[in-house]
Amino acid sequence: MSVRKTIATHPFGDQKPGTSGLRKKVRVFQQANYLENFVQSIFDATRPGNGGFAGKTLVVGGDGRFYNDEALQTIIKMAAANDFERVIAGRDGLLSTPAASCIIRKYRAFGGIILSASHNPGGPDADFGIKFNGANGGPASEELTAAIFAQSRRIEQYYIADSARVDLGRVGDRQLGGMQIEVIDPVADYAALMEQLFDFERIRELLTGGSFRLQFDAMNAITGPYAHDILEQTLGAPPGSVLRGQPLPDFGGEHPDPNPAHTPELQRLTSGRDAADFGAASDGDGDRNMILGANFYVTPSDSLALLAANATLAPGYRDGIAGVARSMPTSQAVDRVAKSLGIPCFETPTGWKFFGNLLDAGKITLCGEESFGTGSDHVREKDGLWAVLFWLNLLAVRGEPVADIVRRHWQQYGRDYYTRHDYEAVASDAAQSLVETLRGQLGALAGQRFGNHEIETADDFGYTDPVDGSQSRQQGLRILLRGGARIIYRLSGTGTEGATLRVYIEGHETDPARHNQDPQNALAELIDLSHRLARIEHFTGRGSPDVVT
Ligand code: VG1
Ligand code: CO
């Protein structure tokens, strides 16, 4: 029998969650009471008025990064001391973010705590993160995150069970005081859901029947076990199809961010004359995806548009899609598909939490972000392997190479040239000044001409949730040009060092003869304009971005 301890504590002032939960350096989380304060603040802000957590289930798991183990032990002991009836944990403390969402929904849990800093590097000197997802399986709303933050600023005590380490290494049931702990296979429920959505028979034929070659890069992160199980064991892709399939606490010292710059081996295997037909990668916690064909890169914005246009080819979406949504900085490619399908298209602020209400209300079926995030109403998180399986289903049915499918799509809808320029680890006050200065000038920009371009409107994006009417302001500065091109500026809400300025640039091209340019060339004038409008070099001292995607 464990003993419940009440520990006196003092608030930390900096526990304000960003775009996706609280992300800090591991060393920050290792401070005495830091993690405990935040976890207790989650419990205090969400505890039901009558009966508390009695009869309630909490799902816990993470991407396996450094500190995952230790943090989970603490969280489980705190869940017991806060009177939860049951905790469901992934074996070895592992759950991908989409699998956690799936499990919360499937077992009708009260919610879940997911440990991840997603695509940020891991290890003792790198990043850690924690977030709370509600009963719908989705990230806490802005309102709830604000309540958790407010609680973290007045917390005085937390509760924790005094007990030995809980063994999470084996599937099965344990007991901690009055609380049951169910350790589950992290893959099984998620794999079963994927099998319901996609035509596994046809994908198996594609992967085993001929010369089709697939390469999936799990980036030493959470999707390794999922990809081994689903792509290799179940769907028959030969061993070796999954690269870097073993989750490591420091991701092998690499950056688990699925973009071309961080996936050199995958780039090599999908390039040249002997290129694999299909390549994909996922991030630290398994919610992002990058899609490649032989010698071909599919932008995340195009991928969302393509899945929307071809959705009925997958059994789970056979009856069509109700609507789509994209984050504001994501390209307008999916808008064109929605228009031609005659379905609504919603434009939300950055971050998956804004899709939850639209999904719950049945207003949308598919949604996505330019930052390698795509998902649907099957869970309430973006889902990396889901996107990979959707593409494989599509390729199996259409029998054409990735590049041909995308080019044909461009012929029909035009090509939305797109690029994102990131200026990382900029001094926070310099980044703030840049944004504030530009914000002050927005009103004067409409009607101004720059070479071939004319600014139609410029504003600071605000969003009113169509379901609950909640409002979110200052979600990114938008420069909208005549003809549909856009330049967008916003500051990242997931970094742990200084500020990251993101500049998103897009322009639409209808002429198929002009569809084969490098986006950096096609968008060169707009890129130049993006520098001049915000005086990026003046404020940041940087003449060029650190990362271009
Ligand atoms: C970034 C992306 C955003 C995404 C978020 C979480 O946020 O831009 O689209 O939802 O990361 O993704 P920001 O505020 O840094 O731009 V994940 O896979 O890191 O949880
Ligand atoms: Co992620």
Side-chain angles (χ1 to χ4, degrees):
M1 180 57 202
S2 67
V3 180
R4 170 183 148 135
K5 293 193 297 186
T6 301
I7 311 282
T9 187
H10 297 288
F12 293 86
D14 66 344
Q15 299 194 321
K16 186 175 167 54
T19 312
S20 179
L22 183 68
R23 288 190 194 168
K24 299 281 177 194
K25 293 282 169 212
V26 165
R27 305 240 184 261
V28 173
F29 273 103
Q30 284 172 327
Q31 296 171 83
N33 296 347
Y34 193 89
L35 173 75
E36 290 85 345
N37 272 20
F38 191 70
V39 172
Q40 188 64 49
S41 300
I42 293 174
F43 293 155
D44 290 346
T46 60
R47 183 181 285 105
N50 47 356
F53 294 120
K56 305 271 187 253
T57 297
L58 183 73
V59 172
V60 297
D63 63 14
R65 67 179 58 224
F66 184 83
Y67 201 56
N68 194 88
D69 277 350
E70 210 177 314
L72 262 189
Q73 291 292 331
T74 301
I75 293 166
I76 291 172
K77 287 175 201 169
M78 288 184 67
N82 279 275
D83 297 326
F84 272 94
E85 167 114 356
R86 178 168 75 141
V87 153
I88 299 180
R91 189 186 49 235
D92 296 324
L94 298 179
L95 282 179
S96 76
T97 292
S101 185
C102 158
I103 287 158
I104 293 169
R105 295 167 68 78
K106 182 166 178 175
Y107 297 103
R108 300 180 189 286
F110 172 78
I113 290 183
I114 304 177
L115 302 179
S116 166
S118 189
H119 57 288
N120 297 14
D125 298 316
D127 294 354
F128 191 73
I130 171 168
K131 67 176 188 156
F132 176 75
N133 282 30
N136 73 346
S141 66
E142 286 222 300
E143 197 190 343
L144 179 52
T145 352
I148 294 169
F149 178 48
Q151 185 57 31
S152 78
R153 297 179 69 158
R154 57 173 175 254
I155 189 168
E156 289 175 357
Q157 57 192 31
Y158 66 85
Y159 310 109
I160 188 161
D162 188 12
S163 85
R165 238 187 110 75
V166 178
D167 172 19
L168 300 178
R170 286 172 300 117
V171 166
D173 292 349
R174 328 256 182 285
Q175 201 71 27
L176 177 56
M179 188 178 81
Q180 187 196 342
I181 301 168
E182 210 174 306
V183 179
I184 61 166
D185 172 353
V187 178
D189 295 297
Y190 176 82
L193 177 59
M194 292 302 114
E195 196 155 3
Q196 280 169 27
L197 297 174
F198 301 113
D199 192 337
F200 271 32
E201 268 317 303
R202 290 201 72 164
I203 299 177
R204 194 175 295 120
E205 272 168 35
L206 175 75
L207 296 179
T208 59
S211 62
F212 187 92
R213 247 177 61 227
L214 149 90
Q215 295 287 346
F216 177 83
D217 188 351
M219 306 193 81
N220 302 317
I222 191 70
T223 47
Y226 294 84
H228 277 304
D229 183 298
I230 299 171
L231 298 176
E232 293 183 349
Q233 266 112 283
T234 306
L235 292 169
S241 301
V242 176
L243 311 168
R244 299 195 281 179
Q246 172 72 33
L248 300 174
D250 67 347
F251 308 119
E254 315 267 344
H255 201 147
D257 188 356
N259 67 44
H262 292 124
T263 50
E265 172 80 350
L266 181 67
Q267 300 301 319
R268 195 179 60 72
L269 292 167
T270 52
S271 304
R273 284 179 49 190
D274 190 30
D277 302 278
F278 181 76
S282 191
D283 70 331
D285 62 331
D287 56 359
R288 296 187 177 205
N289 72 91
M290 175 177 65
I291 302 293
L292 305 169
N295 299 294
F296 197 86
Y297 165 74
V298 186
T299 71
S301 298
D302 278 348
S303 176
L304 173 63
L306 265 140
L307 295 186
N310 293 278
T312 54
L313 300 183
Y317 309 92
R318 186 175 285 139
D319 298 333
I321 52 178
V324 293
R326 62 165 171 84
S327 66
M328 184 273 284
T330 302
S331 100
Q332 297 161 86
V334 74
D335 305 35
R336 305 178 203 289
V337 174
K339 195 167 173 212
S340 99
L341 292 175
I343 56 171
C345 176
F346 297 86
E347 185 176 37
T348 58
T350 295
W352 214 260
K353 55 174 166 284
F354 295 101
F355 295 132
N357 278 347
L358 297 170
L359 292 163
D360 286 351
K363 289 184 180 294
I364 61 168
T365 308
L366 301 183
C367 47
E369 298 190 277
E370 51 66 40
S371 53
F372 301 87
T374 336
S376 90
D377 59 359
H378 69 293
V379 291
R380 293 293 180 274
E381 289 280 3
K382 54 188 184 272
D383 190 342
L385 264 175
W386 168 89
V388 171
L389 292 166
F390 208 145
W391 266 95
L392 288 171
N393 196 142
L394 176 70
L395 293 170
V397 175
R398 287 192 45 170
E400 299 159 82
V402 172
D404 292 11
I405 292 177
V406 178
R407 290 213 170 88
R408 207 152 290 167
H409 185 91
W410 292 341
Q411 278 166 18
Q412 190 177 347
Y413 297 96
R415 175 171 181 186
D416 289 274
Y417 278 106
Y418 191 84
T419 188
R420 187 178 98 187
H421 288 193
D422 290 338
Y423 298 79
E424 295 182 333
V426 173
S428 296
D429 48 354
Q432 283 299 341
S433 310
L434 180 151
V435 168
E436 273 152 33
T437 307
L438 184 58
R439 185 179 285 131
Q441 295 167 344
L442 291 175
L445 286 177
Q448 285 201 36
R449 295 192 68 94
F450 298 88
N452 295 324
H453 299 284
E454 182 184 342
I455 298 179
E456 200 165 58
T457 52
D459 65 7
D460 193 345
F461 181 64
Y463 179 67
T464 303
D465 185 299
V467 179
D468 66 13
S470 59
Q471 303 205 336
S472 307
R473 307 213 176 278
Q474 301 201 334
Q475 297 295 321
L477 305 181
R478 297 194 294 184
I479 314 290
L480 309 176
L481 299 144
R482 201 164 291 287
R486 303 190 305 169
I487 301 170
I488 290 149
Y489 303 86
R490 61 178 284 282
L491 299 182
S492 157
T494 56
T496 57
E497 254 177 75
T500 293
L501 170 68
R502 303 204 196 284
V503 186
Y504 312 80
I505 300 146
E506 83 178 286
H508 189 229
E509 176 59 68
T510 48
D511 180 2
R514 299 171 61 84
H515 280 170
N516 292 317
Q517 305 168 65
D518 176 339
Q520 303 307 315
N521 294 334
L523 298 169
E525 284 180 17
L526 291 170
I527 291 171
D528 182 51
L529 183 56
S530 77
H531 285 260
R532 287 194 283 147
L533 285 176
R535 292 196 290 152
I536 295 175
E537 187 156 7
H538 166 80
F539 284 105
T540 67
R542 312 279 176 83
S544 56
D546 301 276
V547 183
V548 172
T549 40

